């Protein structure tokens, strides 16, 4: 983008900073909530309790942390993959090529790692944020779209709106030193002022960054309605130290992205009314975790007191207290044994330990992370089918969260395809066609009509639809699917060739390719079969 070296927009810059300060003040409690959630997740929730006795035990049983990680482990099995389909036959090959392009994009940006961060933010903080953008250096300089995770502590949406697309602006920010700005923005480095933001964030116990020695780089996205064209345009400005460093309008007045939407997608776990943000497991079970550990503290204090029984001595007993302290002596002299009494700590009622266990089990049950979801069974359940059914039924909460993630992923992919169409879709499809031609070894000139369709395309055809499937199915689901296929083949309802297509196992594509090359997969064998599969006569 063109950099505004003379800072010709001071009024607009100050206006944007005023909105940023409004957002920042409105998010004060939200930042504190996210920090509290992270502390409770890692078992550090005694930090805000006054320490009356330095020797007082502060036990932590990480029930919330264990629950979050078990649900998160379920969600990691639901890693989504985008499949582009077409309702009209002439768009079949375009949909297939787009599917390959999306898969390449997600492999390049390591979306499996991004997905792992997203699940943590959603379960702990209550919401996760994905950003859709374009990397001009990707694919060997050809460029490509991406979907990546955004730390929910470094982004702010309009607190007045429940839909982020209706907001006045979206702010994403990071800290950088003045040396960094001297390297990337040498014309502005001497003019930047330290703003002192984010000094209210609780610092990590191990790392204590000096925020007052850094400058906040603010990425401001604004979505503005144009009444002449009756469309929205989205623009992006970069601010730092009271100055506007970049403005996308200097390069693309029609908008940073043609789709005209904020390039962000939010996924919430539990809906928060009046806001586009959400609540997580920590918000739901924080109080139970605290009370559970408080009861643990009472039990441990009682155990410590019981391990140090007191000896009460009256003056008329004639025994010396210091002499009785010496356990190495075998004989002590005194006048009256009635003046000596042992004082022992009374045991706690038995129902307290049972109550603590019930509180912890309630967290597991209400969160869906019960014993069946964790792979444990009791009551004599030994059948593999029964265990699989119980585990499938116990993962309803995980599946509900996975559906929310997949819905957000589908919206992100829709924007990703729009970004690809705007910048490099034709070139990417051309390269994909060439690679497919070389791999299959047949003439695919008929698919050149796809390129002609792309040239006159102002938007993605409505006949294209995006579906989401799981990259790797759950082991129990795979077992059930394969067992059903085997039964259909045994009863003669389907042929073994069809059954092979329906099975789920590692190396399935290689097995199908080998059978095709050997002429063992129906009549479509060799080059003729491959040409038929890819729609070439």
């Amino acid at each position: 983008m063109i950099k505004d070296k003379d800072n010709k927009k001071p009024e607009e810059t100050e206006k944007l900073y005023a909105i940023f300060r409004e957002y920042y003040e409105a998010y004060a409690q939200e930042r504190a909530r996210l920090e509290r959630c992270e502390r409770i997740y890692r078992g550090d929730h005694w930090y805000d309790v006054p320490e009356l006795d330095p020797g007082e035990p502060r036990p932590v049983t990480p029930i919330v942390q264990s629950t979050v990680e078990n649900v998160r482990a379920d969600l990691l099995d639901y890693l989504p993959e985008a499949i582009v389909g077409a309702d009209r036959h002439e768009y079949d090959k375009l949909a297939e090529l787009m599917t390959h392009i999306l898969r390449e994009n997600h492999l390049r940006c390591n979306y499996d790692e991004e997905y792992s961060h997203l699940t943590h933010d959603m379960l702990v903080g209550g919401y996760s944020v994905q950003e859709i953008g374009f990397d001009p250096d990707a694919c060997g300089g050809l460029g490509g779209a991406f979907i990546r995770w955004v730390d929910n502590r470094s982004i702010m949406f309009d607190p007045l709106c429940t839909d982020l697309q209706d907001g006045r602006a979206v702010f994403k920010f990071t800290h950088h030193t003045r040396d960094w700005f001297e390297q990337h923005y040498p014309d502005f480095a001497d003019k930047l002022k330290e703003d002192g933001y984010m000094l209210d964030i609780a610092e990590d116990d191990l790392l204590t960054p000096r925020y007052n020695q850094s400058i906040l780089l603010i990425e401001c996205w604004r979505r503005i309605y144009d009444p002449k064209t009756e469309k929205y345009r989205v623009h992006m400005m970069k601010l730092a130290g009271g100055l506007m460093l970049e403005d996308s309008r200097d390069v693309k007045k029609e908008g940073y992205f043609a789709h005209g939407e904020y390039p962000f997608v939010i996924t919430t776990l539990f809906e928060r009314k009046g806001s586009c943000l959400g609540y997580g497991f920590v918000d739901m079970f924080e109080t139970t975790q605290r009370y559970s550990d408080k009861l643990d503290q009472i039990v441990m204090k009682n155990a410590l007191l019981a391990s140090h029984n007191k000896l009460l001595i009256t003056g008329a007993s004639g025994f010396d207290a210091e002499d009785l302290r010496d356990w190495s002596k075998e004989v002590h002299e005194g006048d009256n044994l009635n003046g000596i009494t042992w004082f022992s700590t009374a045991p706690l009622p038995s129902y307290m330990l049972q109550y603590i266990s019930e509180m912890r089990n309630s967290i597991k049950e209400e969160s869906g992370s019960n014993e069946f979801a964790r792979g444990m069974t009791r009551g004599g359940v030994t059948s593999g089918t029964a265990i699989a059914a119980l585990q499938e039924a116990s993962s309803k909460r995980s599946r509900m969260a996975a559906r929310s993630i997949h819905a957000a992923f589908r919206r992100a992919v829709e924007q990703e395809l729009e970004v690809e169409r705007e910048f490099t879709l034709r070139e990417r499809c051309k390269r994909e066609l060439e690679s497919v031609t070389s791999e299959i070894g047949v003439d695919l000139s008929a698919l050149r009509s796809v390129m002609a369709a792309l040239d006159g395309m102002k938007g993605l055809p409505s006949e294209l639809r995006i579906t989401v499937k799981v990259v790797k199915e759950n082991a129990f689901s795979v077992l059930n699917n394969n067992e059903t296929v085997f039964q259909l083949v045994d009863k003669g309802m389907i042929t073994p060739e069809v059954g092979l297509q329906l099975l789920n196992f590692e190396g399935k594509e290689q097995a199908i390719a080998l059978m095709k090359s050997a002429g063992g997969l129906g009549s479509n064998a060799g080059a003729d079969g491959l040409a038929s599969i890819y729609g070439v006569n």
Side-chain angles (χ1 to χ4, degrees):
M1 280 187 283
I2 299 175
K3 300 174 182 179
D4 186 9
K5 298 181 180 180
D6 300 326
N7 192 31
K8 298 177 181 179
K9 307 171 184 177
E11 295 182 359
E12 184 176 6
T13 301
E14 181 56 35
K15 179 181 178 181
L16 294 178
Y17 264 100
I19 299 176
F20 178 82
R21 286 190 288 269
E22 177 190 339
Y23 280 31
Y24 197 81
E25 293 174 359
Y27 267 71
Q29 294 298 323
E30 176 63 16
R31 291 192 298 273
R33 185 191 70 86
L34 290 175
E35 176 64 23
R36 188 182 71 254
C37 288
E38 289 291 338
R39 281 185 173 273
I40 293 176
Y41 164 75
R42 64 175 187 259
D44 183 25
H45 57 77
W46 288 101
Y47 71 98
D48 58 351
V49 179
E51 189 173 357
L52 302 178
D53 182 5
E56 191 175 66
R58 296 195 168 192
V60 174
T61 303
I63 302 300
V64 169
Q65 192 269 350
S66 176
T67 298
V68 168
E69 288 304 301
N70 274 281
V71 176
R72 189 181 175 204
D74 287 340
L75 293 180
L76 291 179
D77 287 337
Y78 290 98
L79 177 65
E81 180 182 15
I83 304 296
V84 181
D87 293 334
R88 294 172 58 182
H89 180 67
E90 56 265 31
Y91 291 119
D92 286 343
K93 290 306 165 187
L94 177 60
E96 183 180 347
L97 292 176
M98 287 182 173
T99 300
H100 282 281
I101 290 173
L102 290 175
R103 186 179 296 114
E104 182 181 355
N105 286 347
H106 300 161
L107 288 174
R108 186 188 70 250
C109 68
N110 298 318
Y111 186 75
D112 54 344
E113 297 181 7
E114 305 292 316
Y115 179 76
S116 178
H117 293 305
L118 291 168
T119 56
H120 173 87
D121 282 357
M122 187 180 72
L123 297 177
V124 177
Y127 63 96
S128 59
V129 183
Q130 300 180 79
E131 179 183 7
I132 305 92
F134 181 78
D135 182 5
D137 299 325
C139 301
L142 186 62
F146 61 80
I147 302 177
R148 65 187 177 196
W149 160 75
V150 179
D151 190 342
N152 54 14
R153 296 172 298 179
S154 65
I155 192 168
M156 297 186 299
F157 305 96
D158 195 339
L160 299 177
C161 299
T162 57
D163 186 351
L164 73 91
Q165 298 298 338
D166 297 331
R168 293 166 290 172
V170 176
F171 292 99
K172 194 176 70 165
F173 46 88
T174 55
H175 282 274
H176 296 283
T177 62
R178 188 175 292 275
D179 291 338
W180 186 91
F181 283 99
E182 289 177 353
Q183 298 175 26
H184 293 81
Y185 299 93
D187 299 323
F188 294 96
D190 296 336
K191 304 175 185 178
L192 299 179
K193 299 176 294 183
E194 284 79 3
D195 38 40
Y197 280 109
M198 286 186 70
L199 297 181
D200 59 330
I201 287 289
E203 296 176 349
D204 190 281
D205 296 335
L206 302 178
L207 297 176
T208 55
R210 300 286 296 275
Y211 287 129
N212 56 350
Q213 294 183 357
S214 65
I215 301 173
L216 202 62
L217 177 64
I218 303 173
E219 194 175 288
C220 174
W221 292 85
R222 299 208 71 190
R223 187 170 183 252
I224 302 173
Y225 180 73
D226 186 355
K228 295 182 180 179
T229 60
E230 297 183 348
K231 293 182 179 180
Y232 282 94
R233 296 178 179 178
V234 62
H235 304 284
M236 191 267 283
M237 287 75 70
K238 288 189 177 181
L239 312 172
L243 303 178
M244 183 180 294
L245 308 182
E246 300 183 34
D247 190 344
S248 65
R249 292 170 296 180
D250 296 333
V251 181
K252 293 183 66 177
K253 294 183 179 180
E254 66 276 13
Y256 195 94
F257 292 124
H259 55 64
E261 295 182 342
Y262 287 125
F264 301 99
V265 174
I266 302 177
T267 311
T268 60
L269 183 60
F270 300 119
E271 183 180 2
R272 190 189 309 186
K273 293 295 184 181
S275 172
C276 61
L277 310 181
Y279 293 115
F281 277 135
V282 177
D283 297 291
M284 299 295 107
F285 304 114
E286 172 188 358
T287 303
T288 308
Q289 174 75 67
R290 287 181 180 270
Y291 279 133
S292 173
D293 290 336
K294 181 64 178 177
L295 291 175
D296 264 351
Q297 183 187 52
I298 294 173
V299 173
M300 292 189 68
K301 287 176 67 175
N302 183 264
L304 290 173
L305 292 174
S307 65
H308 295 81
N309 291 332
K310 295 181 180 181
L311 184 62
L312 304 181
I313 304 174
T314 64
S317 67
F319 286 93
D320 180 59
E322 294 298 328
D323 186 61
L324 292 177
R325 285 176 179 273
D326 189 356
W327 290 89
S328 63
K329 289 185 176 183
E330 297 182 359
V331 179
H332 299 276
E333 295 182 359
D335 299 328
N336 188 1
L337 290 177
N338 293 330
I340 300 177
T341 304
W342 283 101
F343 178 79
S344 59
T345 302
L348 294 172
S350 58
Y351 69 81
M352 180 173 289
L353 296 178
Q354 182 180 357
Y355 184 63
I356 296 174
S357 178
E358 290 178 354
M359 289 182 67
R360 293 171 180 170
N361 287 333
S362 69
I363 296 179
K364 300 175 185 178
E365 292 293 336
E366 296 303 324
S367 65
S369 180
N370 53 33
E371 62 175 11
F372 296 114
R374 294 166 181 252
M376 301 182 296
T377 61
R378 62 184 179 184
V381 180
T382 57
S383 170
T385 304
I387 293 174
L390 288 172
Q391 289 183 327
E392 186 70 15
S394 66
S395 61
K396 290 187 292 186
R397 284 287 185 91
S398 300
R399 295 200 302 272
M400 181 182 68
R403 282 195 292 269
S404 299
I405 294 177
H406 289 181
F409 177 73
R410 184 170 57 251
R411 295 196 302 271
V413 170
E414 290 174 354
Q415 283 198 16
E416 181 185 5
L417 284 179
E418 289 293 341
V419 172
E420 284 287 353
R421 182 201 61 78
E422 181 180 359
F423 292 99
T424 61
L425 184 58
R426 192 182 192 282
E427 290 76 11
R428 296 284 300 277
C429 284
K430 180 180 179 181
R431 191 181 71 170
E432 189 68 32
L433 283 172
E434 293 173 352
S435 64
V436 170
T437 302
S438 61
E439 290 178 5
I440 298 178
V442 295
D443 183 15
L444 298 178
S445 57
L447 296 180
R448 303 302 174 183
S449 59
V450 174
M451 312 313 301
L454 287 173
D455 290 338
M457 195 184 297
K458 295 183 180 180
L460 290 177
S462 59
E463 289 78 6
L464 292 178
R465 64 186 184 280
I466 299 171
T467 58
V468 178
K469 77 169 189 176
V470 178
V471 174
K472 185 177 181 180
E473 295 287 346
N474 180 276
F476 296 100
S477 299
V478 171
L479 181 63
N480 183 62
N481 174 81
N482 292 347
E483 185 177 351
T484 303
V485 173
F486 289 143
Q487 291 177 358
L488 293 175
V489 173
D490 290 340
K491 295 181 180 300
M493 300 179 67
I494 61 175
T495 64
E497 290 80 4
V498 174
L500 178 61
Q501 298 280 0
L502 298 176
L503 289 176
N504 289 327
F505 62 93
E506 292 292 336
K508 171 182 172 180
E509 295 180 358
Q510 295 179 356
I512 294 176
L514 289 173
M515 291 193 67
K516 289 176 181 177
S517 62
L521 193 62
S523 59
N524 293 332
D528 294 337
L530 292 174
S532 175
I533 291 173
Y534 280 86
V536 179
N537 297 323

